[in-house]
Amino acid sequence: LFDVLGYRREEALGTDVRTFNLFVFPSDRETYYNIYFDQHKVVFECPWRRKDGRIIHIMISSVRIQLQDKYYLMSLVKDVTDRKAAEEKFLKAFDLSPDLMVILRERDLVFVEANRMITKISGFTREEVIGYNTEQKEFALWVDPQEREQFFRLYYSNGNVAQEAKFRHKDGGTFYASISAQRIVLADENHMIVVIRDITERKE
C-alpha cells in the first residue's frame, strides 16, 4: 500500500476508500464498478492518484469474496507506469516505420494496432481492420493459403518467423512482400508484431 500509493496501513484501515480520491477520471471509476457489480470480478487499467498527488498507471484485479455471510471486494493493485511508458514509446516508433506494421492479439488474431503505412501498402484503413480477425474474408490478404498456413505454423513453433509471400491488395491487385513476425507481450498477454515490406520491384 505504501510503496504503490503512499498510504500507510493505519491510514487505510477503517477508512472509506472514496475519501482517497484515487481515480483520476470519474468515468474510469464508474466503468470499474459497473464491471465489478455486473460480473463480481474485474481486471482494469487506468491512472490513479497517489497520496503525494503524483499520477501513476495501475492495473487493479478485483474479485468478490464472502466472509461470515458478508461480501467483500478483494483487490490486487499493481503499478504498471513504467510498462505503459515503454509501450507508448514503442508505439510512437511503430507508427513512424516506413514498413507496414500491425499488432495482432495472438489468441484470436485480432488486429489491435496498425501503423500509417497500412493504406499505402494494403489499401485498407486502420478503421477497417482494428478489432477484426485476420481470417475474416474481407481481410484475406494472402494469395496462397498454403503460404499463410506455413507462416503461422512456423510462428507458433518458434515465436518468430520471416518469409516472402504474395499478397492481395484491397483493389484486387497483387504484390510481393517480405513478412516477418515476432512475439511480444502487451498488457501481460501474447501479441505478435508483424512487419510487411513491399518487394514487388525487386522480385520483378
Side-chain angles (χ1 to χ4, degrees):
L1 182 65
F2 180 78
D3 290 342
V4 176
L5 297 174
Y7 293 96
R8 298 191 179 278
R9 186 171 182 271
E10 54 270 23
E11 291 181 277
L13 293 182
T15 304
D16 188 330
V17 68
R18 289 173 293 186
T19 64
F20 295 125
N21 194 28
L22 297 172
F23 286 90
V24 174
F25 301 111
S27 59
D28 284 338
R29 183 181 187 279
E30 182 180 355
T31 299
Y32 166 79
Y33 281 108
N34 283 343
I35 297 173
Y36 172 76
F37 286 118
D38 180 54
Q39 303 179 14
H40 300 159
K41 62 181 180 179
V42 59
V43 178
F44 194 71
E45 289 191 19
C46 67
W48 264 17
R49 186 181 292 104
R50 283 175 44 95
K51 181 182 178 179
D52 59 12
R54 183 163 60 90
I55 303 300
I56 61 173
H57 204 92
I58 60 95
M59 174 188 290
I60 179 169
S61 304
S62 303
V63 63
R64 173 188 278 185
I65 62 172
Q66 186 174 1
L67 298 174
Q68 298 179 347
D69 299 325
K70 290 186 178 180
Y71 290 115
Y72 294 85
L73 188 160
M74 182 174 70
S75 297
L76 172 66
V77 180
K78 181 179 180 181
D79 185 348
V80 295
T81 304
D82 290 343
R83 192 205 75 202
K84 291 295 291 186
E87 287 179 3
E88 290 175 3
K89 184 178 180 180
F90 163 77
L91 288 174
K92 287 180 181 178
F94 169 90
D95 197 51
L96 293 174
S97 171
D99 299 320
L100 168 57
M101 300 179 71
V102 299
I103 298 176
L104 308 175
R105 192 166 56 219
E106 191 172 295
R107 60 181 163 86
D108 53 13
L109 298 181
V110 164
F111 287 94
V112 298
E113 190 54 86
N115 72 355
R116 60 190 175 86
M117 295 299 291
I118 188 167
T119 302
K120 180 177 180 179
I121 292 181
S122 74
F124 292 99
T125 65
R126 289 183 72 258
E127 292 72 22
E128 288 177 301
V129 301
I130 299 300
Y132 290 91
N133 187 286
T134 59
E135 295 180 347
Q136 291 180 284
K137 184 177 180 181
E138 57 265 43
F139 305 124
L141 299 178
W142 299 78
V143 172
D144 185 346
Q146 291 184 340
E147 288 184 337
R148 182 185 187 280
E149 182 181 345
Q150 180 188 40
F151 177 84
F152 283 102
R153 184 173 64 251
L154 291 172
Y155 172 80
Y156 286 118
S157 174
N158 304 322
N160 60 78
V161 61
Q163 68 183 53
E164 294 183 359
K166 192 174 184 180
F167 290 93
R168 183 179 295 106
H169 195 273
K170 183 183 178 182
D171 64 11
T174 59
F175 63 97
Y176 290 96
S178 64
I179 178 170
S180 61
Q182 175 70 47
R183 177 174 289 136
I184 61 173
V185 178
L186 298 175
D188 296 323
E189 184 173 5
N190 285 344
H191 289 67
M192 56 191 299
I193 181 166
V194 181
V195 180
I196 299 176
R197 174 173 295 177
D198 190 333
I199 60 170
T200 303
E201 290 185 6
R202 193 198 80 192
K203 293 290 286 188
E204 290 177 347

